[in-house]
Every structure is written in C-alpha cells, then in structure tokens.
Amino acid sequence: MFMGVNSRERFLAAARCEDVDRAPIWIMRQAGRYLPEYRALRAKSSFRDMVRTPELAAEVTLQPMRRFGLDAAIVFSDILVVPEAMGLAYTLNEGEGIRMDFALEGARQVEALVSDESVVRERLAYVGEALRLARAELGQDRALLGFAGSPWTLACYMCEGAGARGGDFSRAKRMYYESPALFSLLMEKLSDVVATHLALQIEAGADAVQIFDSWAASCTGAHYGEMSLNWISRIISRLPPEVPVIVFAKGMAASHADSLAATGAQVLGVDWTCNLADLAERLPADLAVQGNLDPLLLEGEPAVVRREARALIKSMRGRKGHIVNLGHGIRPTARIDAVEALVQAVAEA
Ligand code: 1CP
C-alpha cells in the first residue's frame, strides 16, 4: 500500500520554497543493493539488462516505495546510459566495478560520439518507458524523479574508461588543460545529449530531475565553472522552467554555492561536509536545499538515526525549501530498520 497522501505536492512545494506541513524525504540511490528484494531480482539479471528492461526498471523503482513512506521515487537507471547511447558502452563486473568499452582519447573518438537528437531519443526511449510504467503503478500522489550525470562527471568515466576504482579521473582533467578545444567539443556533445535525456524523462512524467555532479570535487576551484558548471547551466536553460532541477555537486556545495545557484537550479543538493542550516542562511531565499545526513548513519543504530534526523530538521526550522536526503547515496550495507527510523522521524517532525 502506498501511504503518502500529498507527497507529490509536498515535494514540489519544498522544491519551490513554499510552505509545507513537513519536509519531504527521498534517499539518493534508494533503489539498490541494500534491499533484499533488489538483490533477489539482480541474482537473475545483469545490471545492464535490469536498466534496459522497462518492466524490471519500473519494478526496482517501486521497491523502496512499497517499503517506506518516501515522498519521491527516482527512476532506476544509471548515469552511464548516456555514454552508452553515444556509442561508448559500459559493463558492471562483479568485484571489478564499472568498465567502459574503451577510454576516450583523441579527436577521432570524440568526433565519432553520437549526439544527434533523434538517434539519442530512440536509444534512450527505454528510460521514458520505465518512467511511464513506474508512474502508472505509483499513482499521482507521490513524486517521480528523473536524473542524469553532469557532463563533467560523465567525461570522468569516459576518459578514464573505468569507474572510481579504475583510477583518479585525471584523464578528463588532462584533456581540459592540454586539449581545450577537444574538451569543449566533448562537453558540447554531452550537454546536448544530457539535455535531451532529461527532456525525455520530463515528457515521460518526471516531476523534477536531478543532475549528479558526483566528481565535482576532482575539479580545481578556479576552473570549476569551465570544467563543469557552465555545461550544467547550458542544460538547465534548455529544460522547461516549471520543472525543478536539483543539482548535486558532491564536495562543492559549500565552496561554490553562489555559482551553483547561478546555474538556474531550483534545488541545491548538499553533501555531508557542510552545516546545512549555515549554508542555507547565506543562499538566496528562493533556492531550496536537499540533504545532508551522513549515509554512514544508516549502517548503525535506528536511535542514532532518529536523533540526527531530528537535529537536522530542527536546525532547518523556519527555512523554507528543505528536502531531507542523505549527503550522498545510501550504501549497500545500510540497515532496513535504520531507513525506517529515518523516514518515521521525518514524518513525525
Ligand atoms: O547491482 C549492482 O551492483 C548495481 C549497483 C548500481 C545501482 C543500484 C549501479 C552501478 N547503479 C545503480 C543505480 C543508480 N545509479 C541510480 C538509481 C536510482 C536510485 O535509486 O537512486 C542512480 C541515481 C545512479 C547514479 C549513479 N551511477 C551515479 C551518481 C550518484 C552517486 O552515487 O554519486 C554514479 C557515479 C553512477 C555510476 C555507477 N553505477 C554503478 C556504480 C557502482 C557506479 C559507481 C562506479 C564507480 O565510480 O566506481
């Protein structure tokens, strides 16, 4: 049974910094490995097949919604579907993590990447289908989110040819410093495709979209605009203005809050490194914030989760526009009873 009555309005009101009865909550990476029902499905299919099969992706999207009184669902997919649609595929291997088919380098490979809108729409249509199926089962009362990686974060994976365990993402930075024209061409293509992908998800029923700049902190502060933010701004300018965009720039929210606000995002996703209330105070009053509990808490005692959630909410009382979330994705070792305690503490606040 779905419990939330006005979760969708609550979520959208918070994203617009309007009055709410309580702060809405969702959890980054809420559809995933900490759930036994996810692991049961995953035992039968590869990750990529699950992502590409709308019925399976919709099912995984709904799994956390059946268990917990969350206000928003996020479509089960991955940021790496974008490079895949452009011609650079990925695999997820047990024990090894993410592998890209090749590491992007040189003009020929960048030029060969597909960014044609009609081709991209066709190749990513399965994500729209997953959203439509998820909406049909979720109903109209709870929010449904789409997402994409930022061009910078995607370039990190594409240039490295692997995930975080494969290296330190220095190759994307090297391209920025040493081949600026090539870097710009790659970012223009990525911005086009990410904008198309987010538009497609909005057309399929997403109430809001989140842009994950998960590797923001590997940028230098002085060049963060050119490396990442300008491309995010370009994407946001191409989306319908009435749909809230959440920008989550891990590790950069505090130091670059003003320039993140200037991207046109309606919501700033905040990692756990900063004091959320202090940060919110120095932001424009019409910019909502999302975050920022330590994901580690959910691996521990429910009583501690409850205490920390209450403290966070109390610190934000009086500040319109707070969406409760973690400061990064939930970890595979999170406890179900800790997640329940978090959702309950928010509901009672
Ligand atoms: O079964 C498995 O082992 C798969 C694990 C898994 C899952 C559940 C991966 C592989 N991706 C996902 C789903 C996913 N990825 C979602 C689903 C919706 C949700 O519940 O939130 C989302 C939003 C993502 C986004 C994503 N993928 C990000 C940005 C978020 C973040 O954590 O910073 C990144 C960096 C990725 C790449 C990726 N995909 C998967 C892994 C293990 C990784 C990280 C790879 C690495 O850098 O080593």
Side-chain angles (χ1 to χ4, degrees), residues 53-336:
T53 309
E55 292 74 19
L56 286 176
E59 170 60 22
V60 177
T61 302
L62 294 164
Q63 284 178 342
M65 306 306 287
R66 296 200 185 101
R67 255 187 202 271
F68 312 113
L70 296 159
D71 294 297
I74 182 163
V75 66
F76 178 76
S77 183
D78 201 80
I79 64 169
L80 299 173
V81 302
V82 160
E84 182 179 54
M86 298 172 79
L88 176 42
Y90 71 94
T91 41
L92 175 64
N93 301 319
E94 284 331 309
E96 197 192 357
I98 295 290
R99 281 248 142 242
M100 309 303 291
D101 273 6
F102 56 91
L104 196 64
E105 57 184 351
R108 292 248 298 276
Q109 287 182 346
V110 174
E111 280 158 13
L113 290 172
V114 173
S115 59
D116 180 76
E117 182 171 349
S118 58
V119 177
V120 166
R121 279 184 171 273
E122 202 179 305
R123 290 188 180 175
L124 291 171
Y126 64 88
V127 181
E129 198 46 38
L131 277 155
R132 283 191 196 90
L133 292 174
R135 172 64 83 197
E137 234 190 276
L138 188 64
Q140 303 298 318
D141 287 352
R142 298 219 241 179
L144 180 58
L145 313 181
F147 72 92
S150 73
W152 166 256
T153 289
L154 293 174
C156 284
Y157 285 91
M158 295 165 84
C159 294
E160 208 67 37
R165 273 188 273 170
D168 58 2
F169 294 132
S170 54
R171 289 180 193 213
K173 270 213 280 203
R174 207 161 279 293
M175 188 189 280
Y176 166 80
Y177 288 127
E178 292 170 9
S179 315
L182 190 59
F183 179 82
S184 292
L185 177 63
L186 173 59
M187 297 308 256
E188 275 166 26
K189 285 189 159 191
L190 278 167
S191 303
D192 286 350
V193 178
V194 169
T196 299
H197 187 41
L198 292 175
L200 176 159
Q201 294 178 71
I202 291 166
E203 290 156 23
D207 294 303
V209 292
Q210 175 155 320
I211 299 175
F212 285 92
D213 200 6
S214 300
W215 298 108
S218 63
C219 294
T220 53
H223 298 285
Y224 186 43
E226 284 181 9
M227 285 176 157
S228 186
L229 286 177
N230 295 350
W231 310 103
I232 292 176
S233 306
R234 182 193 283 225
I235 292 164
I236 295 175
S237 72
R238 288 167 46 183
L239 298 175
E242 67 281 6
V243 177
V245 179
I246 308 162
V247 174
F248 173 69
K250 185 165 178 283
M252 286 292 201
S255 57
H256 287 73
D258 295 334
S259 25
L260 281 158
T263 60
Q266 283 82 359
V267 186
L268 185 62
V270 180
D271 62 84
W272 67 79
T273 60
C274 36
N275 180 310
L276 190 64
D278 289 350
L279 178 67
E281 211 169 297
R282 53 186 184 84
L283 293 175
D286 61 352
L287 181 67
V289 292
Q290 174 178 283
N292 73 341
L293 290 165
D294 188 344
L296 188 77
L297 287 169
L298 296 182
E299 288 163 78
E301 288 304 320
V304 178
V305 174
R306 233 172 265 124
R307 183 189 73 205
E308 292 299 315
R310 283 189 197 129
L312 173 69
I313 289 166
K314 189 167 169 226
S315 76
M316 291 298 291
R317 202 149 275 151
R319 177 34 160 108
K320 285 184 190 172
H322 178 209
I323 297 168
V324 178
N325 206 316
L326 305 180
H328 197 198
I330 187 169
R331 296 155 47 129
T333 38
R335 280 167 54 165
I336 301 290

